[in-house]
Amino acid sequence: MIKYPIYLIMILLFISCTTKQESLLDDFTSSYETGMKKFNNNKFAAAKESFDYVVMTNPGSALALSARYFLAESLFNLKEYNQAIDHYNKYIRYSVDAEKISESRYKVCISLYSVCLKFMRDQTSTSYTLQRLQEFIDDYPGSENISNIEILIDDLRNQMARKQHQTGHLYMKLGEYNSALLYFNDTIDDYYDTVYSDKARVSIIQSYLFKNEISKAKAMLEIYKDEFRDIQYLSKSEKVIG
């Protein structure tokens, strides 16, 4: 049996490891480049697989961080929003590319909004989404995406206001007028900048009429006269009492 000097064995092992590392790096680079080609050709499902391979098998590298961004972008384009949010957030945590971080945070906002539309019953999720949208506005006041974020905020607030107003009407139909009044008043307080604040004022007047408390209904009309955002709801309230 031939015995090799220890230093020769070490050299051979070093060469073997170096060759293996170079081979793996070539493999990662090839997968990344393949992913980019597919991504640029809008083949997002195929691109996702290539980027995912780089992220999973070469974590912590600069190549994997870049791959994670495009993995998130691929998932976003595939409307797989929950997974896209996860990868955008991980990219944001480790990246130093200010432009891509800003774009990632914007896409997170869009993704959260899209998920929220499917689960509007979840008040906590909607509140969290509104918080993240507002944080984007606060952190990027000069962003060209601000107007889009503001539209999303308005839409979510309107949907939440509608839900609260509808709950009040449900109690009104059940004859639970005091409970209905609580919801209508909360709608005015929480969503004063939406059309549902006006609708809630009309509903409050109607609730007092249904309770046969006509004097209170008239008193509320006097209080609300200068608070209606839209004059048509003042006219409607006057007709209701008339």
Side-chain angles (χ1 to χ4, degrees):
M1 182 176 180
I2 300 174
K3 292 185 178 181
Y4 295 98
I6 187 67
Y7 72 87
L8 182 58
I9 295 174
M10 295 297 293
I11 291 172
L12 291 172
L13 286 172
F14 176 78
I15 293 172
S16 176
C17 289
T18 302
T19 302
K20 186 176 181 180
Q21 288 176 347
E22 289 176 350
S23 177
L24 286 172
L25 183 59
D26 289 341
D27 185 36
F28 298 145
T29 303
S30 176
S31 294
Y32 179 85
E33 291 174 349
T34 299
M36 288 305 303
K37 288 179 182 178
K38 293 173 181 176
F39 182 86
N40 291 328
N41 288 321
N42 297 326
K43 297 179 179 179
F44 301 116
K48 178 182 73 171
E49 294 182 5
S50 295
F51 294 132
D52 190 52
Y53 173 76
V54 178
V55 169
M56 294 298 293
T57 56
N58 190 28
S61 68
L63 191 66
L65 184 61
S66 180
R68 189 181 292 281
Y69 174 79
F70 288 104
L71 172 57
E73 289 279 277
S74 299
L75 291 164
F76 180 85
N77 283 290
L78 291 168
K79 298 183 179 181
E80 297 178 20
Y81 295 117
N82 282 319
Q83 291 185 61
I85 291 168
D86 180 55
H87 287 289
Y88 277 129
N89 283 334
K90 288 177 180 175
Y91 176 79
I92 292 166
R93 189 180 308 156
Y94 299 109
S95 178
V96 294
D97 187 325
E99 185 176 344
K100 278 190 170 66
I101 289 174
S102 173
E103 183 65 17
S104 296
R105 287 189 59 180
Y106 174 65
K107 294 288 181 63
V108 166
C109 288
I110 300 296
S111 300
L112 286 169
Y113 169 80
S114 300
V115 172
C116 254
L117 293 183
K118 297 180 181 179
F119 305 102
M120 279 304 296
R121 291 182 180 181
D122 187 349
Q123 192 88 357
T124 302
S125 175
T126 305
S127 297
Y128 174 75
T129 299
L130 284 169
Q131 179 184 337
R132 293 295 298 272
L133 294 175
Q134 187 59 52
E135 285 175 358
F136 182 88
I137 291 176
D138 295 340
D139 292 344
Y140 299 99
S143 172
E144 62 183 12
N145 294 316
I146 288 291
S147 58
N148 292 336
I149 295 294
E150 289 174 337
I151 290 172
L152 302 186
I153 289 175
D154 288 344
D155 184 55
L156 286 180
R157 282 179 57 77
N158 272 289
Q159 292 199 48
M160 292 176 75
R162 180 179 62 187
K163 178 183 175 183
Q164 190 154 289
H165 185 251
Q166 287 176 340
T167 302
H169 263 285
L170 177 61
Y171 278 108
M172 194 160 67
K173 289 179 180 179
L174 295 172
E176 300 287 342
Y177 301 117
N178 289 332
S179 296
L181 285 168
L182 288 174
Y183 277 93
F184 295 142
N185 278 304
D186 284 346
T187 302
I188 295 172
D189 291 340
D190 297 339
Y191 307 105
Y192 56 89
D193 55 342
T194 72
V195 67
Y196 291 97
S197 64
D198 280 352
K199 292 184 176 183
R201 292 183 180 94
V202 177
S203 297
I204 286 172
I205 291 170
Q206 289 175 326
S207 296
Y208 281 119
L209 290 175
F210 288 140
K211 291 177 69 177
N212 204 30
E213 296 180 12
I214 299 173
S215 60
K216 283 190 177 180
K218 290 181 178 179
M220 295 311 298
L221 176 59
E222 287 301 314
I223 292 173
Y224 292 149
K225 268 188 176 180
D226 298 325
E227 296 183 9
F228 282 103
R229 293 167 55 83
D230 190 328
I231 194 68
Q232 67 169 313
Y233 291 100
L234 171 59
S235 300
K236 185 174 182 179
S237 297
E238 291 172 336
K239 289 178 181 178
V240 165
I241 288 183

